[in-house]
PDB file of all heavy atoms in Angstrom:
ATOM      1  N   TRP U  58     152.556 160.421 -17.432  1.00 97.00           N
ATOM      2  CA  TRP U  58     152.086 161.357 -16.302  1.00 97.00           C
ATOM      3  C   TRP U  58     153.036 161.554 -15.174  1.00 97.00           C
ATOM      4  O   TRP U  58     152.744 162.250 -14.285  1.00 97.00           O
ATOM      5  CB  TRP U  58     150.748 160.830 -15.769  1.00 97.00           C
ATOM      6  CG  TRP U  58     150.752 159.420 -15.234  1.00 97.00           C
ATOM      7  CD1 TRP U  58     151.214 159.045 -13.996  1.00 97.00           C
ATOM      8  CD2 TRP U  58     150.348 158.206 -15.840  1.00 97.00           C
ATOM      9  NE1 TRP U  58     151.174 157.688 -13.842  1.00 97.00           N
ATOM     10  CE2 TRP U  58     150.496 157.155 -14.909  1.00 97.00           C
ATOM     11  CE3 TRP U  58     149.680 157.914 -17.079  1.00 97.00           C
ATOM     12  CZ2 TRP U  58     150.255 155.849 -15.245  1.00 97.00           C
ATOM     13  CZ3 TRP U  58     149.434 156.649 -17.406  1.00 97.00           C
ATOM     14  CH2 TRP U  58     149.691 155.624 -16.444  1.00 97.00           C
ATOM     15  N   GLN U  59     154.198 160.942 -15.401  1.00 96.00           N
ATOM     16  CA  GLN U  59     155.271 161.133 -14.192  1.00 96.00           C
ATOM     17  C   GLN U  59     156.159 162.310 -14.504  1.00 96.00           C
ATOM     18  O   GLN U  59     157.337 162.307 -14.255  1.00 96.00           O
ATOM     19  CB  GLN U  59     156.059 159.855 -14.197  1.00 96.00           C
ATOM     20  CG  GLN U  59     155.216 158.690 -13.661  1.00 96.00           C
ATOM     21  CD  GLN U  59     156.137 157.408 -13.532  1.00 96.00           C
ATOM     22  OE1 GLN U  59     156.452 156.696 -14.529  1.00 96.00           O
ATOM     23  NE2 GLN U  59     156.577 157.167 -12.250  1.00 96.00           N
ATOM     24  N   GLU U  60     155.614 163.504 -14.824  1.00 94.00           N
ATOM     25  CA  GLU U  60     156.386 164.623 -15.114  1.00 94.00           C
ATOM     26  C   GLU U  60     156.996 165.218 -13.907  1.00 94.00           C
ATOM     27  O   GLU U  60     158.063 165.756 -14.105  1.00 94.00           O
ATOM     28  CB  GLU U  60     155.414 165.754 -15.746  1.00 94.00           C
ATOM     29  CG  GLU U  60     154.707 165.377 -17.032  1.00 94.00           C
ATOM     30  CD  GLU U  60     153.773 166.504 -17.558  1.00 94.00           C
ATOM     31  OE1 GLU U  60     153.734 167.547 -16.961  1.00 94.00           O
ATOM     32  OE2 GLU U  60     153.158 166.266 -18.572  1.00 94.00           O
ATOM     33  N   ASP U  61     156.500 165.047 -12.732  1.00 94.00           N
ATOM     34  CA  ASP U  61     157.134 165.553 -11.574  1.00 94.00           C
ATOM     35  C   ASP U  61     158.481 164.899 -11.274  1.00 94.00           C
ATOM     36  O   ASP U  61     159.407 165.417 -10.836  1.00 94.00           O
ATOM     37  CB  ASP U  61     156.214 165.483 -10.299  1.00 94.00           C
ATOM     38  CG  ASP U  61     155.094 166.410 -10.379  1.00 94.00           C
ATOM     39  OD1 ASP U  61     155.144 167.389 -11.144  1.00 94.00           O
ATOM     40  OD2 ASP U  61     154.049 166.229  -9.677  1.00 94.00           O
ATOM     41  N   GLU U  62     158.444 163.488 -11.499  1.00 93.00           N
ATOM     42  CA  GLU U  62     159.675 162.660 -11.225  1.00 93.00           C
ATOM     43  C   GLU U  62     160.580 162.888 -12.378  1.00 93.00           C
ATOM     44  O   GLU U  62     161.856 162.737 -12.195  1.00 93.00           O
ATOM     45  CB  GLU U  62     159.245 161.221 -11.099  1.00 93.00           C
ATOM     46  CG  GLU U  62     158.403 160.890  -9.970  1.00 93.00           C
ATOM     47  CD  GLU U  62     157.894 159.497  -9.857  1.00 93.00           C
ATOM     48  OE1 GLU U  62     158.597 158.557  -9.686  1.00 93.00           O
ATOM     49  OE2 GLU U  62     156.607 159.248 -10.163  1.00 93.00           O
ATOM     50  N   PHE U  63     160.168 163.045 -13.617  1.00 93.00           N
ATOM     51  CA  PHE U  63     161.007 163.103 -14.721  1.00 93.00           C
ATOM     52  C   PHE U  63     160.594 164.233 -15.621  1.00 93.00           C
ATOM     53  O   PHE U  63     159.813 164.163 -16.535  1.00 93.00           O
ATOM     54  CB  PHE U  63     160.828 161.726 -15.589  1.00 93.00           C
ATOM     55  CG  PHE U  63     161.083 160.548 -14.851  1.00 93.00           C
ATOM     56  CD1 PHE U  63     159.916 159.849 -14.372  1.00 93.00           C
ATOM     57  CD2 PHE U  63     162.256 160.117 -14.618  1.00 93.00           C
ATOM     58  CE1 PHE U  63     160.127 158.665 -13.642  1.00 93.00           C
ATOM     59  CE2 PHE U  63     162.380 158.926 -13.861  1.00 93.00           C
ATOM     60  CZ  PHE U  63     161.378 158.132 -13.359  1.00 93.00           C
ATOM     61  N   PRO U  64     161.191 165.481 -15.262  1.00 91.00           N
ATOM     62  CA  PRO U  64     160.723 166.723 -15.969  1.00 91.00           C
ATOM     63  C   PRO U  64     160.977 166.633 -17.424  1.00 91.00           C
ATOM     64  O   PRO U  64     160.311 167.469 -18.190  1.00 91.00           O
ATOM     65  CB  PRO U  64     161.765 167.751 -15.308  1.00 91.00           C
ATOM     66  CG  PRO U  64     162.083 167.188 -14.021  1.00 91.00           C
ATOM     67  CD  PRO U  64     162.190 165.621 -14.201  1.00 91.00           C
ATOM     68  N   ILE U  66     159.915 164.598 -19.415  1.00 96.00           N
ATOM     69  CA  ILE U  66     158.614 164.227 -20.089  1.00 96.00           C
ATOM     70  C   ILE U  66     157.813 165.448 -20.610  1.00 96.00           C
ATOM     71  O   ILE U  66     157.269 165.526 -21.684  1.00 96.00           O
ATOM     72  CB  ILE U  66     157.837 163.383 -19.212  1.00 96.00           C
ATOM     73  CG1 ILE U  66     158.519 162.128 -18.950  1.00 96.00           C
ATOM     74  CG2 ILE U  66     156.366 163.068 -19.820  1.00 96.00           C
ATOM     75  CD1 ILE U  66     157.849 161.067 -17.937  1.00 96.00           C
TER      76      ILE U  66
END
Side-chain angles (χ1 to χ4, degrees):
W58 56 79
Q59 292 182 281
E60 296 179 6
D61 290 342
E62 296 172 72
F63 307 99
I66 294 177

